[in-house]
Amino acid sequence: MKLTLKIWRQKNASAKGEMVTYPIDGIDGDMSFLEMMDVLNDELINKGEEPVVFDHDCREGICGSCSMFINGEAHGPDRLVTTCQLHMRKFKDGETITIEPFRAAGFPVVKDLMVDRSSFDRIQHAGGFISINTSGNTVDANATPIEKENADDAFAAATCIGCGACVASCKNSSAMLFVGAKVSQFALLPQGEVEATNRVLNMVKQMDEEGFGNCTNTGACEVECPKGISLENIARMNREYLAASLKG
Amino acid sequence: MALDSKIPQGPLADKWTNHKNEINLVNPANKRLIDVIVVGTGLAGGSAAATLAELGYNVKAFCFQDSPRRAHSIAAQGGINAAKNYQGDGDSTYRLFYDTVKGGDYRSREANVYRLAEVSANIIDQCVAQGVPFARDYGGLLDNRSFGGVLVSRTFYAKGQTGQQLLLGAYSAMNRQIGRGKIKMYNRHEMLDVVKVNGKARGIITRNLVTGEIERHSAHAVVLGTGGYGNVFYLSTNAMGSNVTAAWKAHKRGAYFANPCYTQIHPTCIPVSGDHQSKLTLMSESLRNDGRIWVPAKKEDAIAIREGRKKPTELTEEERDYYLERRYPAFGNLVPRDVASRAAKERCDAGFGVNKTGEAVYLDFASAIERYGKEEAYVKGLNADDKALVTELGAAVVKNKYGNLFQMYEKIVDQNPYKTPMMIYPAVHYTMGGLWVDYNLQTNVEGLYAIGEANFSDHGANRLGASALMQGLADGYFVLPYTIGDYLSHDIRTGPIPTDSPEFEEAEQNVRKQVDALINNNGTKAVDYFHKKLGKIMWNKCGMSRNATDLRSAIDEISALRDEFYKEVRVPGTQNEFNEELAKALRVADFLELGELFAKDALTRNESAGGHFREESVEEGGAQAGEAKRDDENFTFVSAWEYTGVPKDAILHKEQLEFENIELKQRSYK
Ligand SMILES: Cc1cc2nc3c(=O)[nH]c(=O)nc-3n(C[C@H](O)[C@H](O)[C@H](O)COP(=O)(O)OP(=O)(O)OC[C@H]3O[C@@H](n4cnc5c(N)ncnc54)[C@H](O)[C@@H]3O)c2cc1C
Ligand code: SF4
Ligand code: FES
């Protein structure tokens, strides 16, 4: 395949960025999108130019690192995948592909396509945990049976990879799907109940402080989420938040 | 230096308890005066950082990703073992211990493995208390499955994302401590050297990957939880950033590197499709619970399939060779990884491979789908003879168990594994070698600890599945936090370690020199060129099977490649910015040294053991004919290598392994 890539290049957080066009040839459908980027970078290095920076690590859709905005969609045209799981067979010979970083106030650009998502970590520091000692004096794991349905729902919420696609695809740059997923996981488990009130209040407060926008129920996040995290989690968080606010 | 493994006296089952009772403790008020550096925030480092902080130490934690949550442990799929005997199928601490020692081909340390089995049950309790959503059955209790090499169901799991859930558990425990100010987290920081003061590890040198700044960090002790080095093969199941740098730099500062040649080859990975490939994707071993492995029984069918003239689904049962079930009736598809890997390679080498390159076998779910479908139909009172219905019901059960793995496969291969069998082939996965540590997880450098995949300790020549996660968390939550106290109890009056000493200066200059040299090298070839070349040498000559001639030539080729690297590598950009090529170059430089030691270690070990199959050491006759042959008389030891300048000149120290509780037997899964 022969393609034309339009890629956002930006030297660092404070520099001005621009779209740069790169032609590329010899791309095969079995390559992942990131492997296509590797081919480009290899060519750039061989020409003595600087390669395009993008985040990546596991290359199997689980670490949540890779974060490109491709043709106007987080992680590109395929559903339920991250960029590293997107394959070139989804594109046509001769196509022009536009590649940009995730753009949101809460995710400042580090370089080229790489953004700083540490705001997600800070939201977790505010309450994304169960306050339990880690030195092993806990009760037997089967002492508290958990209804399979709740356990499955908690698991489904917990599979969020923290990629930020939900933020990037939201017109308000809201982080509600991400935060909702974490709040839900703990709200659904008996272990997390004790701290539920403080957790949701603190996490939502931190989320607001990080500069993420509000949710207006457009649902773009759910569509673009590579892990299929459902909007129900936002609803659950809102219920939790309301209940917590009433409790004060 | 003599190796002292510091294994406590007394009966096996009491060693850990007695040891804990005897070691020195640090008074809670004094813990505040002590700093600990933890490099790596995977399962091992993350759990250690959280627990040390909770105990009251000041922890500085480092990782090269942008968040601890993205450490490579996140990718582990299948599950974590624990001797809970919830299924009532006869599991016990002793059985887990026994299976692990046997699975490790009797090349691991008895006392360590026993302790691992002992604390395993605690890990599950701990994680559940943290909110890790393990799979449950309809009664609300935890569910289990089986992994290769064992006959009980002791593996706890969260679909195919167990590593993710466990890591998020450790990450959340870290978050709590970061929020409390007890852990200071340094993301996107790469450790590039260890600093020793008066023979003790007292700090590290790091490079801030975003700004390029070289920094000094001091502490009373340094813990490395920096993962494995499978990426020395270039293509492996490891995350792209996984590397050996931290361990290798520690090795260069005096820490012994143990069993570098012990690599685990995983039997169920997606086969290589082309030259562009950047990594290999694992399909969890848990799939072998339900998937049956086969190749065509006749060569002409294999050829027809390779050429696209026939489909696997067209072959009848009789036209298929379920070679694992045929050769190993007791374990069938659940033989250990080394056995399954070798058997797949043997069939493919003999011409029965099923993909274009002839390097793939089938993993087939058709019979599982039918079996589960029938069961569901009965349970629901539906017609169990309705084929379409049974297939639909069965597929739903399979999806519930392995859905994300099937999705992953489909995305990569573009084939639907519910309808046509998966193609799989062995790939480099886990490395069992690592820094040598004693029972306390301390390296032979005082104050320098290694945990998780970065150490060599518990797994021997071939570990069984679902035990790496167990080891990482056991080390981090339950072992290191105790044992390190013994060492730190001598440091309550030391006060903060200054970073302006000559030792820090020397280490920093050492790092600067290396960075400068790489950036200013006027070569013509990209870093990956060297990494790929190294990978080819490693896979062809130090891979699934090895022989002395190849290993000797590997040592020479790697050493020549290293020379070429320093002459010819080109690193674009500058050092004071985010520069991934520079980071890669620093890592590949270390791989180019480790690779040589790896080959040398393999050459010295003239026996087959686990994943390490030595062509010169094969069972000739008898029931085990054609299988790998261990040599207990000459090789019941850990090789611990001392750095002397060039890896091929490293000095071998042997830690003799004593087996007091388990009789050494030829491993047989027949
Ligand atoms: C695809 C896959 C599936 C697996 N499935 C299973 C399974 O089902 N069951 C099982 O038991 N095991 C499994 N394993 C193995 C298991 O996941 C690993 O052995 C284990 O997670 C390693 O944990 P760790 O904490 O030692 O290291 P890692 O998780 O690799 O963490 C290493 C950490 O060190 C940091 N680091 C490394 N070098 C530096 C440096 N120089 N400076 C700063 N930071 C550094 C990294 O940033 C990271 O935080 C699997 C592995 C893979 C790849
Ligand atoms: S909710 Fe989905 S899109 Fe958002 S961070 Fe999590 S996985 Fe990514
Ligand atoms: S690289 Fe890990 S999710 Fe894409």
Side-chain angles (χ1 to χ4, degrees), chain A residues 60, chain B residues 39-46 62-65 68 70-81 147 162-163 167 189-192 225-228 237-239 241-243 245-246 279 282 284 337 429-430 451-454 463-470 472:
Chain A
E60 53 183 74
Chain B
V39 189
T41 56
L43 283 176
F62 297 80
C63 74
F64 62 72
Q65 290 91 351
R70 304 200 210 281
H72 166 62
S73 294
I74 198 97
Q77 298 172 348
I80 177 168
N81 284 338
F147 256 46
T162 316
L167 183 66
H189 273 67
E190 181 124 311
M191 169 195 147
L192 294 177
T226 46
T237 62
N238 289 15
S242 299
N243 65 86
T245 289
K279 79 158 278 171
L282 182 101
S284 167
R337 293 176 177 180
H429 180 47
Y430 175 88
I451 57 178
E453 199 174 331
R463 95 192 153 106
L464 297 176
S467 52
L469 300 180
M470 172 169 70

Side-chain angles (χ1 to χ4, degrees), chain B residues 109 258-259 432-437 452 454-460 638 655:
Chain B
R109 208 188 264 152
N259 298 338
M432 286 149 299
L435 291 177
W436 183 89
V437 290
N455 74 22
F456 87 104
S457 81
D458 298 3
H459 297 307
V638 173
E655 179 196 333

Side-chain angles (χ1 to χ4, degrees), chain B residues 517-529:
Chain B
L518 286 170
I519 280 283
N520 296 322
N521 205 42
N522 287 322
T524 55
K525 294 190 176 108
V527 179
D528 277 352
Y529 167 86

